[in-house]
Amino acid sequence: MADLLKAKMIVDKNYEIAKVDERIYGSFIEHLGRAVYGGIYEPEHPDSDEQGFRTDVIDLVKELNVPIIRYPGGNFVSGYNWEDGVGPKEERPRRLELAWRTIETNELGTNEFVDWAKKVNAEVMMAVNLGTRGIDAARNLLEYTNHPGGTYWSDLRKSHGYEAPHNIKTWCLGNEMDGPWQIGHKTAHEYGRIAKETAKAMKLVDPTIELVACGSSNTNMPTFPEYEAITLDHAYEEVDYISLHQYYGNHANDPGNYLAKNMDMDHFIKTVISTCDYIKAKHRSKKTLNLSFDEWNVWYHSNEEDKKIEPWTVAPPQLEDHYNFEDALLVGSMLITFLQHADRVKMACLAQLVNVIAPIMTENTGRSWKQTIFYPYMHASVYGRGISIKPILTSPKYDSKDYTDVPYIDSAVVYNEEKEEVTIFMVNKNLEESITVSSDVRSFEGYRLSEHIVLENDDLKAVNTASHQAVTPHGNGQSTLEEGMLEASLPKTSWNVIRLNKS
Ligand code: AHR
């Protein structure tokens, strides 16, 4: 039976937004819960390699093709002494970790993380502590990681067995410094000043690095977007990106409203772009500042469980959200939102990667598995590289509790010229009905339909576990392509990946 609801789209190769910076498919590993210990690193696990890294987890991370991984925090970094995590393991101190009130053993530190990142083919995005520490610790860490040799800190690295510098290119100037929960929380003026001075010193050590200044922790912060404006008023010329963080949840169990939340993300991005451009104009600057959305995800399922965790234990199961099918849909829509802003959002980190609000879960010394959100993230990362094309979409709409005129269809298109491939990502948010999307793709002459992948499930609350993958994609999507017209039927509440190619 034909779908009652219909949408129309024009996909023209001339409507370029920008080349997608592959770093928008980044992720994040913090010293928090079981992300590091029991997640990426577990020497006791039967599948661990000679350095204690879980090879099952390495394989899953590689499937996601993650280009850059933020480390070591997060809130953790604001109390971290990086020196605790280098040198002989038996000499490393156990410390009270104040951000998450656990014990940090420091068994894994900077060098081991760089080694692990190489194994998963990712770059490192390193954060420095601007909470309890400042310029000195930051410039010393950079000298340790990036200076070739012949100085105190670079020779210390060599003495630790790392002859060649790590050459870490991307650095975060602290974490969520606008948040009262942050150790060493700062007003915008306090932060703007220290961000500028730390940036100056770090770029003297290594002028090739790129720096990310902290923006607001979410759109509900009372200081948003003043925090960005004041910070950049101080540090605009010294930094290269401003960060955005945002997590969503479905506390009210209102799926229609929940699935619309990427509209808030879109508003967040537009507001930060305007703020950057206002400061650019104010400073008569020639430089355009880009955005690093370096924490984003769904986060709410584990909130109550986390309250029961005893303090001062090693690697407790914190922030272990078990994602359901509707979460995967919102994650898909958030990825679409990044692609729609490919001209200004140059980095983004799904927070986080393993066990802690993550697409990958593990059992201690046991199995690992893919959460529901693994799939849209993997599809976007693997197929979403090329030029982001602006689809001209006319979709039926709905109103929800917090949003009006929510399009049922979200869409982003990526054209990979070298591979002669076009990928159309779409979410159908309609809770009851499938929708036919008719797309004019005539500008892609000679292209044929290669596959239509669908993630769908009758139960919005279906979850994946170690023993049962209830939510997995299939390749039986209903699409046809004839004479440049693509007709696709998108099932109710579904994530769709339609791929065209020439070969
Ligand atoms: O990703 C979990 C936490 O969320 C991070 O430590 C912090 O930056 C944010 O509030």
Side-chain angles (χ1 to χ4, degrees):
M1 204 175 70
D3 299 330
L4 290 174
L5 287 171
K6 304 204 185 292
K8 280 192 169 163
M9 197 158 73
I10 301 169
V11 180
D12 190 303
K13 61 159 75 151
N14 294 303
Y15 300 167
E16 286 188 13
I17 299 173
K19 185 171 190 303
V20 176
D21 190 321
E22 63 172 24
R23 296 174 300 172
I24 66 166
Y25 305 119
S27 191
F28 178 28
I29 289 283
E30 176 169 1
H31 281 253
L32 159 56
R34 298 190 307 121
V36 171
Y37 308 112
I40 66 170
Y41 176 82
E42 196 179 22
E44 308 75 34
H45 194 280
D47 294 335
S48 282
D49 67 10
E50 65 297 343
Q51 281 187 285
F53 294 125
R54 283 185 64 152
T55 56
D56 57 336
V57 173
I58 288 176
D59 290 344
L60 287 169
V61 176
K62 279 181 163 170
E63 262 191 73
L64 291 169
N65 201 9
V66 186
I68 189 164
I69 305 177
R70 188 164 173 255
Y71 173 85
N75 296 339
F76 169 81
V77 79
S78 295
Y80 182 49
N81 297 333
W82 68 267
E83 302 88 337
D84 291 347
V86 295
K89 285 199 178 184
E90 57 289 358
E91 290 170 21
R92 296 185 191 174
R94 282 165 73 91
R95 298 253 190 217
L96 287 187
E97 197 294 288
L98 302 188
W100 304 101
R101 307 193 75 227
T102 59
I103 289 182
E104 173 56 52
T105 64
N106 286 303
E107 261 178 89
L108 186 136
T110 301
N111 293 317
E112 293 85 19
F113 188 75
V114 169
D115 286 340
W116 179 80
K118 279 195 190 120
K119 291 182 187 195
V120 298
N121 306 320
E123 277 179 45
V124 175
M125 177 196 274
M126 184 70 83
V128 298
N129 176 354
L130 293 188
T132 58
R133 305 189 79 186
I135 304 171
D136 204 38
R139 59 119 181 208
N140 293 345
L141 172 58
L142 180 59
E143 182 182 320
Y144 181 91
T145 60
N146 284 21
H147 197 70
T151 64
Y152 179 79
W153 293 107
S154 57
D155 286 346
L156 187 66
R157 180 198 69 239
K158 289 184 179 199
S159 77
H160 293 157
Y162 292 83
E163 182 61 30
H166 297 317
N167 282 328
I168 297 169
K169 283 282 163 265
T170 314
W171 294 76
C172 301
L173 295 165
N175 176 71
E176 296 189 348
M177 301 310 300
D178 65 321
W181 59 86
Q182 201 68 214
I183 304 167
H185 161 233
K186 292 182 172 49
T187 66
H189 283 292
E190 288 167 346
Y191 175 65
R193 287 286 306 130
I194 192 151
K196 179 188 175 92
E197 295 306 321
T198 308
K200 271 166 55 187
M202 289 179 77
K203 285 193 172 172
L204 287 169
V205 175
D206 182 352
T208 69
I209 58 171
E210 290 196 315
L211 295 171
V212 186
C214 295
S216 295
S217 301
N218 59 68
T219 44
N220 290 327
M221 296 302 291
T223 48
F224 169 70
E226 191 69 4
Y227 203 90
E228 284 82 346
I230 294 172
T231 293
L232 292 178
D233 217 1
H234 287 286
Y236 192 84
E237 291 304 330
E238 284 75 21
V239 303
D240 304 283
Y241 303 88
I242 185 92
S243 80
L244 298 81
H245 290 181
Q246 188 71 52
Y247 298 95
Y248 295 114
N250 187 9
H251 298 92
N253 193 15
D254 177 350
N257 197 50
Y258 178 56
L259 294 179
K261 290 194 177 187
N262 63 307
M263 287 181 77
D264 177 73
M265 180 181 235
D266 181 67
H267 163 73
F268 190 7
I269 291 170
K270 285 176 177 154
T271 307
V272 175
I273 290 172
S274 309
T275 308
C276 291
D277 292 351
Y278 159 66
I279 299 296
K280 176 182 178 179
K282 186 176 170 193
H283 289 224
R284 296 355 180 208
S285 177
K286 296 215 175 337
K287 173 167 118 181
T288 299
L289 210 75
N290 286 320
L291 278 51
S292 171
F293 214 121
D294 45 44
E295 284 189 36
W296 69 274
N297 203 347
V298 169
W299 172 14
Y300 78 105
H301 296 285
S302 56
N303 293 167
E304 290 308 309
E305 278 304 299
D306 284 347
K307 291 180 191 156
K308 300 178 199 154
I309 291 174
E310 285 294 312
W312 317 132
T313 56
V314 175
Q318 283 167 314
L319 279 63
E320 298 206 358
D321 271 36
H322 293 276
Y323 291 116
N324 60 31
F325 172 58
E326 67 185 7
D327 300 328
L329 296 176
L330 182 60
V331 162
S333 286
M334 290 163 94
L335 287 158
I336 284 174
T337 306
F338 292 142
L339 287 169
Q340 291 167 344
H341 288 287
D343 53 336
R344 296 299 287 272
V345 178
K346 299 294 175 184
M347 294 190 277
C349 301
L350 176 70
Q352 299 191 9
L353 188 54
V354 187
N355 289 330
V356 172
I357 44 174
I360 297 168
M361 292 299 289
T362 70
E363 295 168 331
N364 286 344
T365 67
R367 298 168 292 181
S368 51
W369 72 97
K370 299 172 182 172
Q371 296 237 55
T372 61
I373 64 167
F374 184 98
Y375 295 104
Y377 179 42
M378 176 186 73
H379 292 148
S381 176
V382 172
Y383 302 126
R385 299 182 188 219
I387 294 165
S388 177
I389 302 285
K390 185 177 172 56
I392 309 299
L393 173 71
T394 313
S395 165
K397 295 178 175 170
Y398 68 102
D399 292 338
S400 72
K401 184 177 146 285
D402 299 322
Y403 306 93
T404 47
D405 285 336
V406 184
Y408 279 120
I409 304 291
D410 276 343
S411 167
V413 180
V414 177
Y415 171 38
N416 191 316
E417 214 168 348
E418 296 90 69
K419 291 190 177 166
E420 299 189 310
E421 279 177 6
V422 180
T423 305
I424 304 173
F425 300 102
M426 285 192 277
V427 171
N428 177 2
K429 299 181 179 180
N430 194 297
L431 304 177
E432 310 290 338
E433 297 193 43
S434 54
I435 298 181
T436 296
V437 182
S438 307
S439 304
D440 177 343
V441 297
R442 282 176 297 174
S443 75
F444 293 100
E445 220 184 317
Y447 278 69
R448 61 173 192 82
L449 183 64
S450 82
E451 61 177 333
H452 178 172
I453 304 165
V454 184
L455 191 67
E456 60 179 325
N457 202 291
D458 281 335
D459 180 5
L460 288 172
K461 310 297 180 197
V463 297
N464 291 345
T465 63
S467 49
H468 181 54
Q469 286 272 300
V471 182
T472 55
H474 65 76
N476 301 323
Q478 301 296 302
S479 290
T480 57
L481 174 57
E482 278 168 30
E483 296 179 5
M485 290 306 294
L486 175 71
E487 295 282 315
S489 173
L490 313 187
K492 68 171 187 179
T493 51
S494 61
W495 160 256
N496 298 264
V497 183
I498 301 179
R499 302 182 60 223
L500 316 181
N501 67 13
K502 237 181 170 174
S503 49

